[in-house]
Amino acid sequence: MQPLDQEKVDLDFTFLLDCFARVLRDVDAGPVSEALPWLGSHTPGDHIPTRALAQALIIAFQLLNIAEENAAVQQRRVADRDPNIPPELGRWRDALQKLHQSGLTGEEIAAALPHVHVEPVLTAHPTEAKRATVLSHYRELYLLLVRRESQRWSPAEQAEIKADIETLLERLWRTGDVFLSKPGVPAEVRNVLHYLVNVFPDVLPVLDNQLRYAWQEAGFDPALLSDTWPKLSFGSWVGGDRDGHPLVTAEITAQTLREMRLQALRLLRRRIRQAASHLSISDLLVPTPPGLIDQIRRLSSGLGSRGAQAVARNPNEPWRQALNLMLARLPIDDAPAEAARLVDEPDRYRCASELLNDLREFAGYLRAVGAGRLADAEIRPLMQLVDTFGFHLATLDVRQNSQFHDRALAQLLEAAGLSSDDLIGGDPERRRALLEREVSSPRPFAHPNTPLDYEAAAVVDSYRVLANHIARYGTAGLGPLIISMTRDVTDVLVVYLLAREAGLAYATPEGLVCRLPVVPLFETIEDLEHSPRILADILDHPVTRRSLMAQAQGGELVQQVMIGYSDSNKDGGILASQWALYQAQRAMTEVGRARGIRIRFFHGRGGTISRGAGPTSRFISMLPPGSLNGDLRLTEQGEVISQKYANRLTAAYNLELLIAGTTKHTLLQQQQPEEPHPLEPVIGWLAEKSRVAYRELVERDGFITFFRQATPIDVIEQSRIGSRPSRRTGQATLADLRAIPWVFSWNQARFYLPGWYGVGSALTALQEQEPALWEQLREEQWRWPLLRYLLANVGTSLQTAHRETMHAYAGLVEDEEIRRRFLDLIDAEFARTEAALTAIFGMPLEQRRPRVAATLARRQIGLAPLHRRQIELLGRWRAQRAADDPAAETTLIDLLLLVNAIAAGLRTTG
């Protein structure tokens, strides 16, 4: 990646800040404008009310984000225009160049593309600190800044653009940024729908163009891509993920599925109408192929008057007639825009593949008459749209915790007059025997109208929603049933029984079959270590085998497995977490291979390094050989969604990295033997050392006190950012605290502790005890992708941490002995980690990563006053709460604004 043009960032940021300062002065907020620290003002801002200061700096940081994003986009354009600039790592030019150099031909690469599948899954974890309304304003502001780039505007037009920017900034200033009440799940669904309807469809042509341009640059035959592209689809957890989230009810899931189907069909209707309006080909000028005449006849049959109207609408224009008939077959009525509703009639398309086949046939007729350019311009994008979004926009996953499932099944057993003693808390062998007996029986536990207790009703009702959806539309649009905290095969058997109760699993002569994939989620380090054995038990179970065969419909057997990056890090620190994930993926890949089943890994990554985030290309390259198989499914959480996908070109860039990277590393790994790296025992040793150091810290007496007082965790627990509670069960323990607020709070106080703690102790021990291995590790950092990724991410976490700010927050810890004890431990480990990385890299972190250093220095200017104000108000708020002072609620609102402002400055929450 080329270093970011910092001069360009500064110019754009200064321009936007000047516009903002003028707006503030115009609305009688002159003192606030003087407190903007980047404009050379020496006014500290201490006299500015918290809400005004926080709101101003939130906007200022978003302006900085926009300036950086615009600079990156413009820089990529320059690089794309100049063939002398080496291709950026992970993009299509880089991928095709490396594949060509490896000996692969264009024909071989093109043949592999349809087997590449990338599926980002959008989630609504409580890390998006900005309201959807505000996000929309910022998107508009970004587009105005991009528009300003053009040199063709006259001075009057430039002034108009500037006036529009200032109008938007005033709108933002007068709009509240913080959630004063928790958003409901429907609001989170609307936010995800925005990306699926308004952003991603417009990104598909950009992605296709990038691939085809790079293909030609590589010297490959363009005709090889005429009907070929990698598979891109989307998933969603919003409205389906109910783990610790009681607000996600069966009705919410049903509403979400309906809305996503409706929006998908509205989208297709708009785009087909647009294509029809463009293809005004007259049969008076272009002879109609006989095949098209047959297609029109076939499409109109059964449509009656609606078919006749579709044909009569455009006489002498058979191409439009065919597209009109495809419109008439969409399972949606003809009402305009938002008034349109779903329709279930026998003459409508039942599934998206039927429409895709008709479009493919139609495109063939265009090519047959020599109109290949029109087929590429009008029908290829439509085909990709249908291929990506279908009639459902995104698949909806349903996730629940294994303990919740246990309680639900226990209630069903009791409703049937059976004992549940062996199910929960009893002997594991008796639990297994009970479940094996039940899965061999076809009968349900309760009559459909039997009233059920809370957990049983919650699961069975939600599964019935899925079963009803399948009965009407098939499995398209439905993701897997994910089991959080999977402990052994019995957790999967419990889900099979719950599915049977709802009609989501059915009896066959051979036994029970589940209609949807059941996916174990391995989250803690202990779970990851046991995952190969657990997965083997799951795959060897006859219900799993039958279900996989039914779901494959004669194709490849695939078992999806989700791995969690967040809880494993909270459990053992970053190095132990990453090594456990690496080993687990490799071992589970072998478990599946031995049984003729491909394992599809679902990577549960968060928005920060300590929750699995990191540079996309480096992440893909460090996955264990054989584990990728051209199929990448991963979560995109919280503020990551808006950072990566709010704007079209940035969204296209990030999706290109995922698709091109998956293609490149899959094909390259297929050419190389899967041999363990000789340094793997060293990484294992380092992982254990770092885990011990990390656990010694978090298990020390007084640690919870230090954590709760030295970070704003108590404010974050009160935040109105997302609809999900911050704790799974409400217990005030570290184990019960979700990984997101755990990371969020350390980041706010600038410790970034989960992203580096324990690594310094491990590396220092290696340097002192095994100098030869230490030197080998230094040499291999550039050659082994896993090692490079780990060290770079730890370095980024260290750079983002801020020692002076850490100490200031630690000053909030009331017990001086606890404060001193833990601060000394953290300081010492920080120094060890920094020294070890400097020795490995051969230079200080700031020198090795100047772009990160420059970005952080620019942000620190605005972060410093926010940290000072947050520390001041935390002390005041905690005292007010202890005294039951009613003013605590007012102070809390100020603190929530400060949390948002600091999150905006750091570009990260959890």
Side-chain angles (χ1 to χ4, degrees):
M1 180 184 293
Q2 298 291 318
L4 190 65
D5 186 345
Q6 300 294 344
E7 184 178 351
K8 167 71 172 166
V9 174
D10 284 333
L11 283 172
D12 282 350
F13 183 42
T14 301
F15 165 76
L16 291 171
L17 270 185
D18 285 339
C19 291
F20 184 37
R22 177 176 175 174
V23 168
L24 290 173
R25 290 191 295 270
D26 289 347
V27 299
D28 295 328
V32 179
S33 71
E34 294 171 6
L36 293 173
W38 296 275
L39 294 179
S41 171
H42 299 291
T43 305
D46 294 344
H47 63 293
I48 305 295
T50 296
R51 299 187 190 189
L53 178 68
Q55 181 74 356
L57 290 177
I58 285 171
I59 293 173
F61 281 129
Q62 293 303 328
L63 300 182
L64 176 54
N65 295 342
I66 287 169
E68 289 178 345
E69 183 174 357
N70 184 50
V73 168
Q74 302 308 326
Q75 194 165 305
R76 286 195 290 272
R77 280 182 165 148
V78 170
D80 287 344
R81 286 197 299 265
D82 189 346
N84 297 315
I85 297 178
E88 182 178 342
L89 182 69
R91 297 188 68 192
W92 275 120
R93 280 180 60 205
D94 166 68
L96 296 177
Q97 185 181 93
K98 288 187 170 64
L99 291 173
H100 196 30
Q101 290 169 353
S102 75
L104 289 173
T105 66
E107 287 77 7
E108 290 170 324
I109 299 170
L113 287 178
H115 303 289
V116 173
H117 183 196
V118 168
E119 185 180 11
V121 180
L122 310 182
T123 78
H125 281 289
T127 59
E128 175 53 80
K130 294 181 292 301
R131 296 168 55 204
T133 299
V134 174
L135 289 170
S136 176
H137 294 333
Y138 285 126
R139 284 188 284 268
E140 190 177 346
L141 186 59
Y142 170 81
L143 292 175
L144 283 170
L145 184 64
V146 172
R147 188 177 170 209
R148 184 175 173 267
E149 292 287 332
S150 175
Q151 300 300 310
R152 71 179 185 271
W153 305 120
S154 69
E157 289 169 323
Q158 284 280 5
E160 182 183 2
I161 293 172
K162 184 179 180 183
D164 289 343
I165 288 173
E166 289 173 351
T167 300
L168 250 179
L169 287 169
E170 180 172 347
R171 197 188 306 164
L172 282 163
W173 176 247
R174 297 182 185 277
T175 302
D177 192 85
V178 71
F179 285 113
L180 297 180
S181 59
K182 275 187 175 289
V185 179
E188 294 176 329
V189 171
R190 286 193 296 273
N191 193 43
V192 165
L193 284 173
H194 166 81
Y195 293 95
L196 292 170
V197 173
N198 301 321
V199 178
F200 294 135
D202 291 335
V203 167
L204 293 184
V206 181
L207 282 172
D208 192 43
N209 183 57
Q210 292 287 5
L211 169 58
R212 298 172 81 175
Y213 175 77
W215 190 265
Q216 289 183 293
E217 288 290 299
F220 297 143
D221 181 4
L224 293 171
L225 295 183
S226 62
D227 198 19
T228 296
W229 53 81
K231 171 76 173 176
L232 172 67
S233 63
F234 295 92
S236 175
W237 277 16
V238 187
D241 179 19
R242 56 231 320 126
D243 179 11
H245 199 334
L247 299 179
V248 181
T249 62
E251 180 54 33
I252 286 288
T253 298
Q255 289 174 4
T256 302
L257 289 169
R258 282 196 301 271
E259 187 63 22
M260 286 173 46
R261 182 175 176 85
L262 183 60
Q263 293 291 350
L265 290 165
R266 286 174 178 168
L267 170 66
L268 289 172
R269 189 175 70 173
R270 286 195 301 273
R271 297 303 175 92
I272 295 173
R273 281 176 174 169
Q274 184 180 61
S277 71
H278 292 170
L279 288 176
S280 52
I281 303 172
S282 171
D283 61 4
L284 302 177
L285 297 175
V286 179
T288 306
L292 180 61
I293 295 172
D294 291 341
Q295 186 181 35
I296 291 171
R297 188 178 298 118
R298 176 178 57 79
L299 287 171
S300 61
S301 66
L303 286 177
S305 61
R306 289 174 49 251
Q309 289 171 4
V311 172
R313 194 176 305 137
N314 299 103
N316 300 114
E317 294 178 341
W319 305 91
R320 279 182 168 174
Q321 290 172 354
L323 290 174
N324 288 342
L325 288 165
M326 293 182 208
L327 278 169
R329 285 195 172 273
L330 288 178
I332 185 173
D333 66 22
D334 298 326
E338 295 302 309
R341 290 293 176 261
L342 298 174
V343 175
D344 288 334
E345 294 174 353
D347 57 346
R348 310 277 181 161
Y349 290 122
R350 175 170 167 78
C351 58
S353 60
E354 295 173 349
L355 171 60
L356 185 59
N357 289 335
D358 283 343
L359 288 169
R360 184 174 284 111
E361 179 184 346
F362 183 87
Y365 298 138
L366 279 173
R367 297 186 195 283
V369 300
R373 182 182 287 108
L374 295 181
D376 286 342
E378 302 295 343
I379 306 305
R380 180 184 173 94
L382 265 181
M383 292 168 64
Q384 291 179 329
L385 196 73
V386 177
D387 190 42
T388 296
F389 299 104
F391 289 172
H392 55 268
L393 286 182
T395 58
L396 185 67
D397 293 3
V398 170
R399 182 178 72 140
Q400 185 53 277
N401 193 284
S402 59
Q403 294 179 353
F404 194 99
H405 287 151
D406 281 354
R407 292 195 296 273
L409 184 57
Q411 292 164 7
L412 283 170
L413 286 167
E414 290 161 8
L418 302 172
S419 172
S420 62
D421 293 346
D422 291 338
L423 183 66
I424 301 176
D427 177 75
E429 292 185 5
R430 293 174 67 86
R431 171 183 165 92
R432 176 74 180 263
L434 166 67
L435 294 169
E436 292 287 6
R437 285 196 306 273
E438 289 301 330
V439 294
S440 65
S441 169
R443 57 115 176 91
F445 293 109
H447 187 276
N449 296 325
T450 301
L452 300 175
D453 289 340
Y454 170 69
E455 284 87 350
V459 176
V460 172
D461 288 350
S462 64
Y463 282 10
R464 281 178 179 151
V465 166
L466 305 181
N468 291 337
H469 181 93
I470 293 172
R472 295 180 71 180
Y473 309 122
T475 56
L478 298 182
L481 308 174
I482 300 173
I483 310 171
S484 299
M485 296 296 177
T486 304
R487 299 155 298 185
D488 58 39
V489 66
T490 63
D491 290 332
V492 175
L493 300 183
V494 169
V495 171
Y496 288 149
L497 290 172
L498 294 169
R500 184 191 69 186
E501 196 69 17
L504 201 52
Y506 59 95
T508 70
E510 293 77 27
L512 197 66
V513 170
C514 190
R515 300 179 191 274
L516 291 177
V518 177
V519 172
L521 167 51
F522 301 113
E523 299 176 83
T524 67
I525 289 179
E526 182 180 6
D527 289 342
L528 288 165
E529 290 171 345
H530 294 158
S531 63
R533 173 185 56 78
I534 298 170
L535 180 62
D537 288 344
I538 293 170
L539 296 182
D540 289 341
H541 199 279
V543 178
T544 300
R545 190 80 186 189
R546 285 192 299 270
S547 299
L548 292 181
M549 292 178 69
Q551 292 155 17
Q553 296 181 332
E556 180 185 28
L557 300 187
V558 179
Q559 172 66 53
Q560 189 177 146
V561 174
M562 186 171 183
I563 50 177
Y565 288 69
S566 305
D567 283 281
S568 57
N569 181 286
K570 184 164 76 81
D571 192 32
I574 188 167
L575 193 53
S577 167
Q578 289 288 347
W579 181 238
L581 286 159
Y582 188 90
Q583 287 186 299
Q585 288 175 79
R586 185 168 57 191
M588 285 191 282
T589 298
E590 287 302 318
V591 167
R593 185 177 294 159
R595 291 159 175 79
I597 298 171
R598 177 168 66 82
I599 305 304
R600 185 190 195 203
F601 289 105
F602 179 15
H603 301 271
R605 303 168 77 214
T608 56
I609 283 170
S610 46
R611 295 190 54 242
T616 297
S617 179
R618 301 287 186 202
F619 167 74
I620 295 172
S621 69
M622 70 89 185
L623 294 174
S627 67
L628 187 55
N629 286 311
D631 193 350
L632 180 64
R633 192 173 205 248
L634 74 170
T635 54
E636 296 285 28
Q637 297 182 1
E639 79 281 347
V640 170
I641 299 174
S642 60
Q643 288 172 11
K644 285 186 174 182
Y645 303 120
N647 299 307
R648 185 174 62 103
L649 292 181
T650 304
Y653 168 72
N654 284 298
L655 289 171
E656 180 186 353
L657 290 177
L658 289 172
I659 300 168
T662 300
T663 304
K664 178 177 77 170
H665 289 288
T666 295
L667 295 182
L668 289 178
Q669 287 177 359
Q670 287 174 356
Q671 296 180 288
Q672 300 163 354
E674 295 180 19
E675 296 178 353
H677 193 281
L679 277 182
E680 285 191 13
V682 177
I683 297 296
W685 186 87
L686 289 170
E688 183 54 31
K689 288 286 185 184
S690 69
R691 181 181 182 178
V692 168
Y694 177 87
R695 294 305 306 178
E696 283 181 352
L697 176 76
V698 301
E699 290 174 359
R700 279 179 181 263
D701 288 343
F703 175 76
I704 296 297
T705 299
F706 180 86
F707 165 61
R708 293 198 64 81
Q709 294 183 11
T711 75
I713 178 61
D714 42 355
V715 175
I716 289 166
E717 289 174 334
Q718 301 290 322
S719 70
R720 280 77 161 181
I721 295 172
S723 63
R724 177 190 301 279
S726 63
R727 294 182 177 276
R728 284 189 165 91
T729 67
Q731 299 174 19
T733 64
L734 185 60
D736 189 61
L737 183 70
R738 290 185 180 276
I740 293 168
W742 164 256
V743 172
F744 196 168
S745 52
W746 285 117
N747 292 359
Q748 283 272 309
R750 300 297 292 281
F751 285 84
Y752 277 77
L753 186 137
W756 57 266
Y757 197 93
V759 177
S761 291
L763 290 174
T764 302
L766 181 68
Q767 186 178 19
E768 293 172 351
Q769 298 173 27
E770 299 287 350
L773 289 175
W774 167 264
E775 288 303 320
Q776 190 179 351
L777 183 134
R778 288 188 67 227
E779 293 170 5
E780 285 295 315
Q781 65 168 304
W782 304 109
R783 292 193 286 268
W784 189 13
L786 173 65
L787 181 60
R788 184 172 186 173
Y789 182 78
L790 280 171
L791 294 176
N793 280 354
V794 172
T796 300
S797 293
L798 272 189
Q799 279 187 269
T800 315
H802 195 264
R803 294 280 288 277
E804 182 182 338
T805 305
M806 280 188 225
H807 281 243
Y809 277 90
L812 290 166
V813 179
E814 296 170 358
D815 187 309
E816 185 177 350
E817 193 278 327
I818 290 177
R819 177 173 68 246
R820 193 71 268 153
R821 186 194 331 153
F822 284 99
L823 201 52
D824 286 349
L825 287 169
I826 292 169
D827 276 341
E829 184 66 14
F830 189 99
R832 278 190 292 270
T833 310
E834 190 173 46
L837 291 183
T838 299
I840 290 172
F841 297 147
M843 64 184 75
L845 293 173
E846 292 76 11
Q847 188 177 336
R848 182 175 181 270
R849 306 284 294 282
R851 174 179 173 175
V852 173
T855 298
L856 289 171
R858 191 185 290 112
R859 291 173 180 277
Q860 183 59 26
I861 294 170
L863 284 165
L866 292 170
H867 287 305
R868 287 196 301 269
R869 185 69 63 92
Q870 188 181 61
I871 290 166
E872 174 195 342
L873 291 190
L874 271 170
R876 183 188 306 169
W877 178 64
R878 288 168 180 171
Q880 289 169 340
R881 290 182 82 196
D884 289 328
D885 187 338
E889 181 62 24
T890 302
T891 308
L892 175 62
I893 298 299
D894 287 349
L895 281 166
L896 292 172
L897 274 167
L898 289 168
V899 165
N900 267 22
I902 292 170
L906 294 170
R907 291 208 80 180
T908 182
T909 54

